[in-house]
Amino acid sequence: MKAIVIDDNTKAANDLNKKLAEYKDIQVGGMAANGFSGLELVHETHPDVVFLDVELPDISGLEFLERSAYLQSDACKVIIYTSFDKYILPAFRKQAFDVLLKPIDPKDLKTVIERLEKSDNTPATLATVKTHNDSKYLLYTNTFDFTLVDKADIGLFQYNSDARCWEGIVAGFKKPVKLRRTIKSDQLLNLDKMFVQVNQKYIVNFNYLIEVVDNECHFFPPFDKIDYVSVGRVYRKKLRESFLNL
């Protein structure tokens, strides 16, 4: 894959160039220090992938994405890399393929390269993006739309037997958000200690749980309309202990 790097920070660009040199399938075909030079480079080299900084001296990386029809085609994938979490959601809305945070973690770069190599696969319905604030999670609401949510906005996870996947019930969402089928209950419980399993089909956010009456969970708003979550027999003791530890 032919790659180009667009970044006005020479050190950051050179560091990325060195990391990319470790991948035999990636060849860096050029580097640019501003947006307009980067656009010229794109049209001259027709790269397979562009590593694009957001805060450029002339135009922003997000505006850069809008200025090139080539970048909006399937012929090229754009990886936004930035020091600021706030650009993650806008980058995906502009159809960026992925996002890396500076300083780039080699493990994160490896994950992105592997995604590039498998980019013909169907996109996942849930992705976790490593951010400087680990309370944030990136949810794919469908193939094209993305949103960042706080873990604190997730009221519960429920298992959808028909779809054979877990779903997240999130404040502000009218419908449950389907997670990819490979997500298991243990992974959801490991997101944060506030998530507690009360049934084989339900994992609740303990911070929203008011009480349990006749084995039925009652929740604080905005999840107070949920009246179908019951506590399974094997989970009662652990849930009781969680209440006692408050």
Side-chain angles (χ1 to χ4, degrees):
M1 287 182 284
K2 183 190 298 181
I4 65 172
V5 176
I6 303 171
D7 191 348
D8 62 318
N9 185 320
T10 303
K11 183 180 184 304
N14 288 335
D15 286 346
L16 176 57
N17 192 13
K18 290 178 182 178
K19 287 183 172 69
L20 291 174
E22 299 174 10
Y23 295 88
K24 63 180 181 179
D25 293 332
I26 301 287
Q27 296 83 40
V28 177
M31 301 173 70
N34 61 64
F36 290 118
S37 296
L39 286 170
E40 291 181 8
L41 188 59
V42 166
H43 297 142
E44 288 172 2
T45 62
H46 294 96
D48 300 301
V49 57
V50 174
F51 288 86
L52 176 65
D53 186 28
V54 176
E55 296 195 340
L56 299 171
D58 46 3
I59 60 174
S60 75
L62 301 178
E63 185 180 354
F64 182 98
L65 287 171
E66 296 175 346
R67 286 176 174 261
S68 174
Y70 180 75
L71 293 179
Q72 297 171 21
S73 71
D74 291 334
C76 182
K77 303 291 191 297
V78 178
I79 311 299
I80 292 289
Y81 79 115
T82 176
S83 300
F84 305 101
D85 295 350
K86 64 182 180 180
Y87 292 121
I88 293 176
L89 178 55
F92 279 113
R93 284 178 172 165
K94 298 293 184 182
Q95 303 302 308
F97 180 77
D98 214 325
V99 177
L100 287 167
L101 289 175
K102 297 179 181 178
I104 293 176
D105 186 324
K107 293 181 181 179
D108 292 340
L109 180 60
K110 183 175 183 292
T111 298
V112 168
I113 299 300
E114 289 174 349
R115 283 201 66 219
L116 285 167
E117 293 171 344
K118 299 176 181 178
S119 58
D120 290 335
N121 293 345
T122 303
T125 52
L126 170 73
T128 300
V129 170
K130 186 177 181 180
T131 69
H132 293 165
N133 179 348
D134 65 3
S135 71
K136 297 287 187 180
Y137 281 85
L138 182 70
L139 295 176
Y140 286 55
T141 57
N142 59 41
T143 303
F144 301 104
D145 297 331
F146 311 82
T147 187
L148 272 176
V149 301
D150 280 287
K151 289 184 292 188
D153 289 335
I154 302 172
L156 67 140
F157 295 103
Q158 60 188 24
Y159 188 76
N160 184 325
S161 300
D162 293 332
R164 291 183 297 168
C165 68
W166 285 90
E167 300 174 330
I169 306 298
V170 186
F173 283 70
K174 293 182 179 180
K175 296 180 179 180
V177 181
K178 287 184 173 59
L179 283 62
R180 62 173 182 261
R181 289 185 178 181
T182 55
I183 295 292
K184 306 298 182 185
S185 59
D186 288 348
Q187 293 170 272
L188 299 177
L189 291 169
N190 286 333
L191 290 179
D192 195 281
K193 62 181 180 180
M194 65 187 176
F195 292 112
V196 178
Q197 189 156 11
V198 298
N199 188 298
Q200 281 190 329
K201 295 181 63 175
Y202 299 107
I203 295 172
V204 305
N205 184 335
F206 193 75
N207 292 335
Y208 286 107
L209 188 60
I210 300 176
E211 60 184 0
V212 177
V213 178
D214 295 330
N215 282 336
E216 183 179 287
C217 295
H218 296 175
F219 300 95
F220 287 106
F223 305 105
D224 51 312
K225 303 300 182 183
I226 295 175
D227 59 3
Y228 53 80
V229 178
S230 60
V231 179
R233 180 174 56 83
V234 298
Y235 299 96
R236 290 175 194 166
K237 181 179 179 181
K238 186 173 182 179
L239 183 60
R240 188 180 300 113
E241 290 173 351
S242 296
F243 266 112
L244 292 174
N245 291 328
L246 285 176

